[in-house]
Amino acid sequence: TTGVPGLDNLLGGGLPEFSFNLIAGTPGSGKTTLAHQMMFSLAAPDAKALYFTVLGEPALKMLRYQQQFAFFDNTKINESIRFVNLSADLLDGDLERVLLRITEEVKSYAPKFVFVDSFRSVARSAKTGTQGESELQRFVQQLGMQLTTWQATSFLIGEYVLPESEASPLFTVADGIVWLFQSLHRNSMLRKIQVVKMRGQAHAPGLHSFRIGEEGIR
């Protein structure tokens, strides 16, 4: 179970174990909050979580914001949850180096849950041109296979808009895709969530409303 009220029903019962998932949406739509809410709910001493941050906001700044939510549990950090910053590994766009670092950290920490935020930053750092696209596709496939081999349930968080799904290899490899939308209607923020894909499960189709409050996402 995800620990997010209402989400398990949309997914068709909850998260498939060892699945390779994408949490996508526009900036500010709630992607990182959703990832953190699931992580704090799922992480335990015998089911550790590893959270990779890439080129976005520093982990300390991100945690300071997440502390406002009731799901935040400071006692789990460095006990059941570990944060790793990959910014230095991405400076030259060497995806093999990034994959090696992720592999080393996962083997060392042996997590049951792995998060990469923001995966879009990894894609943008790839070399341009046909060679870069080939390297990115190989990186995504290798990462997916590695995470499956390690028997970890994994989540890649990224800023995307729907048309991009046709051009990215990530959308083909992913077992599950959860999309978050937001729009301004008069003075109110309307938030919607859609389970675009969830292999092996009868997920609920269409767009569903959600709110972000003190308890987190509902």
Side-chain angles (χ1 to χ4, degrees):
T1 58
T2 61
V4 180
L7 182 57
D8 293 337
N9 292 335
L10 299 188
L11 296 174
L15 289 165
E17 192 175 24
F18 310 144
S19 57
F20 185 52
N21 305 286
L22 172 66
I23 300 174
T26 55
S29 58
K31 301 182 301 299
T32 298
T33 299
L34 177 61
H36 275 221
Q37 189 168 348
M38 288 192 291
M39 179 175 66
F40 277 98
S41 174
L42 294 165
D46 60 345
K48 296 179 179 180
L50 189 57
Y51 200 104
F52 292 99
T53 58
V54 187
L55 294 182
E57 57 191 8
L60 185 62
K61 181 180 178 182
M62 182 171 56
L63 287 174
R64 189 177 296 128
Y65 173 75
Q66 296 298 323
Q67 285 178 359
Q68 69 178 303
F69 297 113
F71 62 74
F72 185 88
D73 186 352
N74 191 56
T75 63
K76 289 191 174 185
I77 298 176
N78 295 328
E79 293 294 333
S80 303
I81 296 172
R82 183 182 178 195
F83 288 85
V84 176
N85 194 302
L86 294 175
S87 298
D89 300 278
L90 271 175
L91 290 178
D92 56 359
D94 188 349
L95 296 183
E96 290 293 333
R97 179 179 172 184
V98 175
L99 184 62
L100 179 61
R101 177 74 189 282
I102 293 175
T103 302
E104 290 173 346
E105 294 288 347
V106 170
K107 286 184 177 179
S108 174
Y109 195 62
K112 288 294 182 183
F113 306 99
V114 177
F115 298 80
V116 181
D117 185 4
S118 154
F119 185 78
R120 182 68 186 274
S121 298
V122 177
R124 283 176 173 170
S125 70
K127 299 171 183 176
T128 57
T130 305
Q131 182 180 358
E133 292 177 4
S134 177
E135 288 181 1
L136 179 59
Q137 185 169 0
R138 185 168 61 251
F139 171 80
V140 171
Q141 291 172 340
Q142 289 178 340
L143 180 60
M145 287 188 295
Q146 289 277 26
L147 290 170
T148 303
T149 301
W150 295 321
Q151 296 188 332
T153 304
S154 55
F155 305 85
L156 306 186
I157 298 98
E159 295 176 358
Y160 290 93
V161 292
L162 275 174
E164 290 181 283
S165 62
E166 300 175 359
S168 173
L170 177 58
F171 295 85
T172 303
V173 177
D175 298 309
I177 301 175
V178 177
W179 220 286
L180 279 65
F181 304 86
Q182 65 174 358
S183 61
L184 190 64
H185 180 67
R186 295 181 180 176
N187 292 326
S188 299
M189 182 64 72
L190 301 180
R191 300 182 185 274
K192 300 286 184 179
I193 186 170
Q194 180 182 8
V195 180
V196 178
K197 174 183 179 183
M198 191 57 62
R199 282 183 182 146
Q201 300 202 169
H203 62 271
L207 294 170
H208 303 265
S209 299
F210 73 95
R211 292 178 180 174
I212 301 179
E214 292 181 0
E215 301 295 320
I217 287 177
R218 180 179 295 273

